[in-house]
Amino acid sequence: MNLEITTEEIDQKVFVNIKGEVDLYSSPEVRKKIFDLVKKKAPVILINLEKVKYMDSSGVATLIEGLQQCNKYNGRFALYGLQDNVREVFELTRLDKIFEIYSDRESALKN
Amino acid sequence: MVEPIIKIRDLHTQYGDKKVLKGINLDIYPYETFVILGRSGCGKSTLLRHLIGLQKPTQGYIYIKDNNFVTASEKEKNDILKNIGMLFQSSALFNSMTVGDNVALPLREHTPQPDSTIKIMTRMKLGLVGLSGFENFMPAELSGGMKKRAALARALAMDPEILFCDEPSAGLDPIVAVGIDNLILKLKKAFKMTIVVVTHELESVFVIADRIALLHEGEFIFVGTKDEMRRSEVPVVRQFLQRAPDEDDMDKDKFLNSLIGG
């Protein structure tokens, strides 16, 4: 399944909408999109994972890199809409402790 | 209906005149932990070598996700193998490389990932097996249990759909062995893998297995759940469960002939 990534910017907040499966072969595409935003020092990057059915450890590692780069300029990097299986990977690897994770777009925006 | 992820059909193997596998059939389903149990020399390691493409059977087929692994070209085989992780009994780490480089190797060889991502993935996998902070150690600096866990981290590097484990707790003390069993259960939950374990360790089987097959003299004489195995009346299954030795039904003449070469 192909990966689709779109971005939308609203009030200096960039939403990265990812659709499909993030795996070893598609995660470099996610990385490129996130790094483009990080290079521009986007103050708030919100990753929408509502339509991500599967994410392997390369996808998770890519998000860790995004968070790390964003932290360097004190930007905000948060995830929302994780499906159960994706959330489980974050929980079992204890990465839910280092990421801001929200159930939906509204809660991600509120915080 | 769920399709099997691995299908074995009429698989035969023989070394010279000795028949090791005698036409076995088996279906393994996605996300199950399937244990192939059997005594030393029963053919289970041979079967595992067929499953990872190290050895061709004499006859029969193995389908992995509907790809015929036996007749596949080298390229097709390599593509199938990218979805398979293998934990070798000997760990099989490269002694000249650090633990981190051992884990990173398949990612560097087979994926387009940049090195920064590979480093994070490597640390994640080492963390998962309880080896955080050991990436710069050499294999020789690790204990047997740690080597096994490092090898497991490497087997998981590519996020395989199927993980094969050959005698994962062999040679480990009972506490480390239980740790490896728990790790297998944790990985199954985290990554929703199909796990195929070849072993003769009964304690381990009843911890990790969803289903069990007992291979005896090249044939599956039992395939079922743990409870079905406990209730089985098949004599060899009962003997295995009770750890009973073989009866001494020696043929005197045959024994004498074997000594004098008659």
Side-chain angles (χ1 to χ4, degrees):
Chain A
M1 186 183 176
N2 291 332
L3 192 73
E4 283 175 36
I5 309 173
T6 58
T7 54
E8 44 179 326
E9 190 173 340
I10 303 169
D11 299 334
Q12 289 201 315
K13 296 178 181 75
V14 184
F15 293 88
V16 180
N17 305 304
I18 306 173
K19 185 179 173 188
E21 297 189 351
V22 184
D23 61 20
L24 283 167
Y25 308 97
S26 63
S27 59
E29 219 178 309
V30 177
R31 186 177 192 271
K32 186 180 177 308
K33 191 65 83 176
I34 290 174
F35 271 58
D36 285 348
L37 296 169
V38 165
K39 269 183 205 153
K40 292 182 204 155
K41 299 197 172 168
V44 179
I45 300 173
L46 300 171
I47 312 286
N48 175 4
L49 299 174
E50 281 168 354
K51 291 183 177 161
V52 172
K53 288 180 181 166
Y54 171 79
M55 181 180 288
D56 71 7
S57 56
S58 70
V60 178
T62 299
L63 295 178
I64 294 172
E65 281 191 282
L67 173 69
Q68 181 196 19
Q69 296 302 319
C70 210
N71 282 345
K72 281 185 185 166
Y73 61 87
N74 290 323
R76 181 170 171 237
F77 190 93
L79 318 175
Y80 69 90
L82 282 69
Q83 296 196 12
D84 285 350
N85 58 333
V86 177
R87 179 179 286 274
E88 255 179 53
V89 172
F90 276 80
E91 286 172 358
L92 279 151
T93 48
R94 297 189 301 162
L95 291 169
D96 55 328
K97 310 284 181 208
I98 61 165
F99 279 102
E100 278 187 57
I101 299 178
Y102 300 98
S103 55
D104 52 36
R105 183 177 171 127
E106 283 67 40
S107 6
L109 276 173
K110 268 184 207 163
N111 289 276
Chain B
M1 194 182 155
V2 183
E3 276 290 302
I5 192 164
I6 300 172
K7 287 187 273 193
I8 298 172
R9 296 291 179 266
D10 193 31
L11 204 71
H12 292 257
T13 296
Q14 60 187 78
Y15 300 124
D17 290 339
K18 183 168 171 49
K19 290 183 178 174
V20 179
L21 297 175
K22 302 170 184 170
I24 60 170
N25 294 287
L26 185 67
D27 287 334
I28 297 176
Y29 292 91
Y31 314 130
E32 71 174 335
T33 301
F34 193 93
V35 175
I36 299 169
L37 191 63
R39 297 168 60 172
S40 301
C42 71
K44 56 188 192 303
S45 294
T46 299
L47 174 58
L48 195 59
R49 281 201 294 276
H50 294 324
L51 285 168
I52 59 170
L54 283 179
Q55 188 184 334
K56 264 198 168 183
T58 312
Q59 184 186 320
Y61 299 104
I62 294 169
Y63 295 90
I64 296 185
K65 293 182 78 181
D66 284 334
N67 299 296
N68 189 336
F69 204 34
V70 176
T71 58
S73 66
E74 279 306 306
K75 193 198 167 297
E76 288 165 337
K77 211 179 261 187
N78 283 337
D79 285 342
I80 298 168
L81 285 171
K82 283 178 190 169
N83 282 319
I84 292 175
M86 174 72 204
L87 171 62
F88 291 95
Q89 186 176 350
S90 61
S91 297
L93 294 169
F94 292 106
N95 286 326
S96 57
M97 290 182 183
T98 64
V99 168
D101 284 340
N102 264 283
V103 178
L105 184 66
L107 295 164
R108 289 187 179 131
E109 290 287 314
H110 299 294
T111 77
Q113 296 295 331
D115 213 51
S116 56
T117 311
I118 288 177
K119 275 189 179 149
I120 295 174
M121 291 172 73
T122 300
R123 290 183 191 132
M124 278 171 62
K125 296 289 153 74
L126 285 173
L128 209 59
V129 301
L131 287 179
S132 291
F134 284 89
E135 65 188 277
N136 293 321
F137 279 58
M138 299 304 284
E141 297 171 305
L142 304 182
S143 69
M146 288 162 95
K147 274 184 196 162
K148 195 75 96 173
R149 283 187 280 150
L152 189 51
R154 185 181 60 187
L156 297 170
M158 300 271 288
D159 286 288
E161 280 181 76
I162 304 170
L163 174 68
F164 291 117
C165 304
D166 188 10
E167 304 279 6
S169 46
L172 302 177
D173 73 56
I175 295 168
V176 176
V178 168
I180 296 284
D181 289 344
N182 289 337
L183 194 52
I184 288 173
L185 289 176
K186 180 178 161 186
L187 295 173
K188 182 189 171 188
K189 194 174 175 213
F191 294 106
K192 299 194 164 49
M193 284 181 296
T194 304
I195 302 179
V196 181
V197 178
V198 166
T199 188
H200 60 261
E201 307 269 350
L202 265 183
E203 295 90 344
S204 174
V205 171
F206 285 105
V207 174
I208 60 175
D210 292 315
R211 287 194 307 140
I212 303 161
L214 181 61
L215 190 60
H216 181 70
E217 294 179 355
E219 290 172 293
F220 285 125
I221 54 162
F222 169 86
V223 179
T225 63
K226 289 182 267 193
D227 285 342
E228 285 165 349
M229 185 172 209
R230 285 192 189 100
R231 290 196 303 265
S232 171
E233 294 298 328
V234 177
V236 179
V237 175
R238 300 287 348 138
Q239 184 192 10
F240 213 96
L241 291 178
Q242 290 158 7
R243 292 183 171 87
D246 288 331
E247 283 184 21
D248 193 0
D249 54 352
M250 186 179 68
D251 179 329
K252 283 181 191 169
D253 293 334
K254 211 172 167 184
F255 180 48
L256 180 61
N257 283 336
S258 74
L259 294 174
I260 61 175

